[in-house]
Amino acid sequence: MIREQPEWLRDGLRRRGQLDELGGTVDRLERLDADRRRLIHAVEERKAARNATTQEVARRKRAGEPADDLIADGRLMGDEISAMESELATTADELEQLLLQLPNVTLPEVPEGGEEANVIVREWGAPRTMDAVRPHWEVGARLGLLDPERAAKVSGSGFVVYRGQGARLVRSLMSFFLDLHGREHGYEEVWVPSLVNRATMTGTGQLPKFEDDAYAIQGDDLFLIPTAEVPVTNLYRDELLDVAQLPMSFTAYTPCFRREAGSAGKDTRGLLRSHEFDKVELVRYVEPERSRDELETLTGHAEVALQRLGLPYRVKLLAAGDTGFSSAMTYDLEVWAPGVGSWLEVSSCSSFVDFQARRANIRYRPARGEKPRFVHTLNGSGLAFPRTIACILEHYQNADGSVTVPEVLQPYLGLARLG
């Protein structure tokens, strides 16, 4: 792409508002690519000359002729080849590191601009008015569902302890989401590690750009996962799939860990932002021709979860400048929280086209004898727990201080009301 479509990449950066920041990187990559090809050609030429010299040395020795001059030339050429190969390795490494810094190019239907250019594409349900609705952190503390003080004592700020019925609510959400997506939507349920290696984090785009946001395990070069997307997407890293295996769909529950290094000054009250949270994730591998439709399918699956919970929500198409680093197109699902008086994101559903598959080398063969192609990957939250719980505590709040349990959760929780 750097070689054949540099203007397409520059236009993608312009749409994201990052051309001034990263346009020079594309220029540098073009030069590095030219240098790399030149060095490869030079090394091959020098090796061919050395081979010819070696053959001539052998011929002279067989003929009893002196060859000291050619042997010296061969050693000199060997030194030259070593120097050029070292330069080639340095050039290739810089090329690779710079390529990893470039974000995905958004799809044509993604609007240009930043957050102000986001588009609400549809809404579902009737948002509750804010009259007499208390914020979820007050309700949770009063009903004994949340214990922020002891969470801060054992871990620090930005962590949550759920207690009693609150803990049972978390467990019921996990079971409901996994049952919904596994039994009704056809996803294969997987249980994956919470620690992954550097290659896995790089494959989905967390590294190198977001290393400051990750919790790293010193001495092991392992990272706590920021989302199940990371291990699940990498299950087939460096593998060649058969087209008959596609589409592949996975759902997984995991705790998620994020340092939130860039969130200074943002609202951290209650369950709005935390360093550790729970989430059920949806991941799909698909053929490129189907990825756009598959994004609508995946987003629809996350929407069903909200509809079953009876929570009013809206679907927002993110503009290019607000779209994540690895994503080509993203829908955010936001639920109305009347106690907070704002829309809270509970799911982000994205198509990455072949961006992650290139980094993780996930390919498929379209047909026997055909050249392998990269799969397209998609993922979305189905759903994230903390803000979903916050919206339940606010939307279903009763005048007596109790909270009605959404009907779909009552069989899992064994309760019709909290409190």
Side-chain angles (χ1 to χ4, degrees), residues 321-349:
D322 204 27
T323 299
F325 174 83
S326 299
S327 177
M329 182 173 178
T330 296
Y331 290 118
D332 274 0
L333 305 187
E334 299 178 330
V335 177
W336 176 248
V340 177
S342 64
W343 294 91
L344 303 181
E345 177 205 324
V346 297
S347 176
S348 192
C349 300

Side-chain angles (χ1 to χ4, degrees), residues 57-289:
V57 168
R59 187 199 66 77
R60 289 190 185 185
K61 285 184 176 181
R62 287 194 302 270
E65 300 173 1
D68 291 350
D69 57 333
L70 292 181
I71 292 173
D73 288 346
R75 288 173 180 163
L76 181 60
M77 283 188 280
D79 292 340
E80 291 174 345
I81 290 169
S82 294
M84 286 190 289
E85 286 182 331
S86 177
E87 185 182 357
L88 175 59
T90 299
T91 301
D93 183 65
E94 184 180 357
L95 182 70
E96 177 69 15
Q97 293 307 310
L98 286 178
L99 284 171
L100 291 174
Q101 295 176 22
L102 288 184
N104 203 350
V105 176
T106 53
L107 296 179
E109 56 264 55
V110 174
E112 294 184 24
E115 186 177 352
E116 74 288 344
N118 293 340
V119 178
I120 305 301
V121 295
R122 58 182 172 273
E123 299 186 24
W124 185 91
R128 178 174 176 173
T129 63
M130 298 172 59
D131 296 343
V133 177
R134 307 306 305 165
H136 65 274
W137 54 85
E138 292 185 13
V139 178
R142 187 174 68 247
L143 297 181
L145 311 176
L146 306 176
D147 193 345
E149 291 79 12
R150 287 177 177 82
K153 178 170 66 175
V154 300
S155 298
S157 62
F159 293 89
V160 180
V161 167
Y162 297 95
R163 303 188 65 157
Q165 294 177 352
R168 290 169 62 186
L169 178 59
V170 173
R171 182 156 50 93
S172 24
L173 282 173
M174 177 183 71
S175 297
F176 165 58
F177 292 149
L178 289 175
D179 286 347
L180 171 66
H181 300 309
R183 297 174 184 175
E184 297 189 34
H185 295 153
Y187 290 78
E188 178 187 351
E189 185 175 335
V190 292
W191 200 272
V192 292
S194 294
L195 286 168
V196 295
N197 56 34
R198 183 171 292 272
T200 297
M201 290 282 280
T202 302
T204 44
Q206 274 70 33
L207 298 184
K209 182 175 176 60
F210 301 107
E211 188 156 357
D212 287 345
D213 277 323
Y215 282 105
I217 306 302
Q218 297 298 322
D220 291 310
D221 206 24
L222 294 173
F223 299 84
L224 287 165
I225 59 172
T227 165
E229 164 202 346
V230 177
V232 175
T233 301
N234 278 273
L235 287 175
Y236 289 85
R237 187 176 76 241
D238 294 324
E239 293 192 34
L240 179 62
L241 306 172
D242 188 271
V243 68
Q245 296 175 260
L246 301 178
M248 301 176 76
S249 305
F250 306 99
T251 185
Y253 158 80
T254 63
C256 306
F257 305 88
R258 300 180 187 179
R259 290 187 61 236
E260 298 284 3
S263 65
K266 295 183 179 178
D267 197 344
T268 57
R269 292 174 297 174
L271 302 176
L272 298 183
R273 191 175 299 275
S274 55
H275 296 305
E276 179 183 354
F277 61 96
D278 302 284
K279 183 155 66 82
V280 166
E281 190 77 357
L282 308 174
V283 174
R284 296 173 77 88
Y285 289 4
V286 303
E287 295 177 78
E289 295 78 11

